[in-house]
Amino acid sequence: MSDLSPASPSRAVVIGAGPAGLMAAEALAQRGLAVEVYDAMPSVGRKFLLAGVGGMNITHSEPYPQFVARYAERQGEVEGLLRDFDATALRQWIHGLGIDTFVGTSGRVFPTDMKAAPLLRAWLKRLRDSGVVIHTRHRWLGWNADGSLRIAYPQGELQVQADAVVLALGGASWARLGSDGAWQPLLQDRAVDISPLRPSNCGFEVQGWSALLKDKFAGAPLKNIALSVPGQAPRKGEFILTAQGLEGSLVYAWSAPLREAIARDGQATLLLDLLPDKPVDKIAQALAKPRGSRSMAKHLHSQLNIDGAKAGLLRELTDQATFADAAALARAIKALPITLVRTRPLDEAISSAGGVRFEGLDEGLMVKGLPGVFCAGEMLDWEAPTGGYLLTACFASGLRAGRAAADWLARPS
């Protein structure tokens, strides 16, 4: 870091132009600081825009205690950030950009047009009007010996002097959109405490489906079901069968405990309830009805409406004796164990767990061993399910880092 010079205005640099980085830039600009943003991609907010495909879920409307609980082991740290900028504040901020929002039936919050691009355009205009300068195709490579930033761009390499730096470089999922985790060795070389990046909100693989199940049902959704891990209450929703295993929103919701179980035990068990609204005794009664010459598969269809991918998976995961015994089959329908052996690759995950540990940061998200360097967004060591929680914490951490960087620059010499 360069020393502050009273003869020239303080210069703030933000590395990364996703939601956290842009929010940090806005907070700095609001304090009258000269702000430059550098991003390696040809355009900004690429992962943000992808998240908006099919509906821009910006945050969630559930009560605050349930909202903060979504951050699990890092609830305390993230709640501290949300005190400055929670889901309500985020909605008000969006409204200030001229974008209305609404709450969907699931409690998720969306812009009224469901799109990310108009929101991003309005935000970028406001940032540029406030003097923020954004450089695309500029990749951060670390620091020079004199403390200046190394920035690679198409014509070569820049040496950028900055009085404060906010790093908002994302995790390591969807590398093609800019979050490639390349910052890890750069910070590890400076003794920054980093938890290894791992897949979050990800799909999982089984040891191997049968050729029949893969050929007939890979890509098929299973709806109106429930999933649980042993000892936890089930959650209702849907998921998708893949050629390798399972993916989809309901699987993503269990990704943290499943991932940790695989790391600890080499495998994890997911319990599938094919009929969450029907008790096991009623299922057993239906199956015990005379079926005459009909096969059990046809009996399942006529009595319980279990067919297609549900029936295929049930047959895949039960032995012949269970399938022929009404009471045993009823129990299997309510708690069908699926053994998962690995996550899908990190680059396929919606988000990543791990990152710069909060223990190595102060309350303003400044790295304790690197004065004037702040971190924000998904590169921090936290995770959350989909549903708007990821974006909300990214915005909140960007705001905290930007304000703290401005305070740092305003401190007495």
Side-chain angles (χ1 to χ4, degrees):
M1 305 299 299
S2 62
D3 293 330
L4 290 176
S5 170
S8 61
S10 298
R11 186 179 186 189
V13 165
V14 176
I15 309 294
L22 294 178
M23 183 59 81
E26 180 165 296
L28 285 158
Q30 285 174 345
R31 299 281 284 272
L33 293 160
V35 185
E36 294 193 56
V37 180
Y38 295 88
D39 193 275
M41 302 305 289
S43 58
V44 306
R46 289 200 162 194
K47 194 174 181 183
F48 179 75
L49 290 172
L50 181 69
V53 174
M56 179 74 256
N57 177 200
I58 198 76
T59 189
H60 204 286
S61 65
E62 70 182 349
Y64 187 74
Q66 289 91 329
F67 190 99
V68 297
R70 302 292 186 176
Y71 299 96
E73 293 180 359
R74 289 300 191 181
Q75 175 180 339
E77 291 85 355
V78 176
E79 184 174 8
L81 304 176
L82 294 175
R83 282 198 293 268
D84 294 342
F85 198 72
D86 60 9
T88 299
L90 176 53
R91 291 187 72 184
Q92 292 171 346
W93 175 84
I94 294 170
H95 298 162
L97 289 170
I99 306 290
D100 290 330
T101 60
F102 74 97
V103 179
T105 55
S106 65
R108 299 183 180 203
V109 177
F110 303 87
T112 51
D113 63 3
M114 301 288 285
K115 297 176 180 178
L119 191 162
L120 183 59
R121 282 196 301 269
W123 191 12
L124 290 174
K125 181 181 185 304
R126 186 163 75 184
L127 287 170
R128 290 180 173 122
D129 288 347
S130 69
V132 173
V133 178
I134 299 174
H135 306 273
T136 56
R137 292 189 172 91
H138 282 64
R139 177 177 290 275
W140 177 61
L141 301 178
W143 290 273
N144 292 299
D146 65 355
S148 61
L149 302 169
R150 294 180 57 203
I151 306 286
Y153 72 122
Q155 287 72 43
E157 186 173 315
L158 299 173
Q159 295 184 18
V160 176
Q161 295 288 344
D163 302 305
V165 178
V166 177
L167 302 177
L169 290 153
S173 62
W174 292 85
R176 66 183 180 85
L177 301 176
S179 297
D180 58 10
W183 52 266
Q184 294 174 89
L186 301 177
L187 294 186
Q188 287 168 337
D189 287 346
R190 297 293 180 114
V192 177
D193 191 11
I194 298 172
S195 176
L197 295 176
R198 306 176 302 282
S200 182
N201 294 297
C202 59
F204 289 83
E205 297 182 10
V206 299
Q207 196 63 54
W209 296 131
S210 67
L212 178 62
L213 189 75
K214 285 193 290 188
D215 290 346
K216 289 192 69 174
F217 299 116
L222 275 78
K223 300 184 177 182
N224 302 315
I225 51 86
L227 290 176
S228 63
V229 297
Q232 297 290 322
R235 299 175 183 175
K236 295 169 70 172
E238 62 182 77
F239 69 88
I240 297 171
L241 279 175
T242 70
Q244 298 82 23
L246 315 172
E247 65 178 31
S249 58
L250 194 54
V251 174
Y252 303 156
W254 290 109
S255 61
L258 292 172
R259 183 190 66 234
E260 298 309 314
I262 291 171
R264 183 183 65 246
D265 305 323
Q267 64 181 37
T269 300
L270 195 55
L271 298 175
L272 168 61
D273 184 346
L274 291 169
L275 296 173
D277 297 322
K278 192 177 288 288
V280 66
D281 59 332
K282 297 296 185 183
I283 296 172
Q285 290 173 16
L287 292 174
K289 292 180 180 179
R291 59 186 174 93
S293 60
R294 289 183 302 178
S295 66
M296 181 57 83
K298 291 184 178 178
H299 197 50
L300 281 166
H301 173 66
S302 63
Q303 293 298 320
L304 298 169
N305 200 31
I306 293 178
D307 54 14
K310 286 186 178 181
L313 192 56
L314 179 62
R315 192 69 186 89
E316 177 88 3
L317 298 174
T318 54
D319 57 26
Q320 192 64 41
T322 300
F323 205 76
D325 182 316
L329 187 57
R331 292 192 294 272
I333 287 169
K334 292 298 291 181
L336 190 63
I338 305 175
T339 301
L340 307 173
V341 296
R342 67 185 67 88
T343 64
R344 291 295 296 162
L346 174 55
D347 192 45
E348 292 182 11
I350 290 175
S351 59
S352 55
V356 177
R357 290 187 173 97
F358 284 92
E359 290 77 8
L361 306 172
D362 69 10
E363 289 190 2
L365 304 180
M366 184 171 73
V367 180
K368 291 177 180 178
L370 294 175
V373 177
F374 302 78
C375 296
E378 201 180 328
M379 69 183 294
L380 298 177
D381 179 23
W382 61 277
E383 64 179 309
T386 58
Y389 310 102
L390 290 163
L391 274 175
T392 305
C394 282
F395 279 110
S397 64
L399 183 66
R400 172 67 63 84
R403 287 177 173 174
D407 290 341
W408 166 263
L409 293 173
R411 77 198 190 287
S413 301

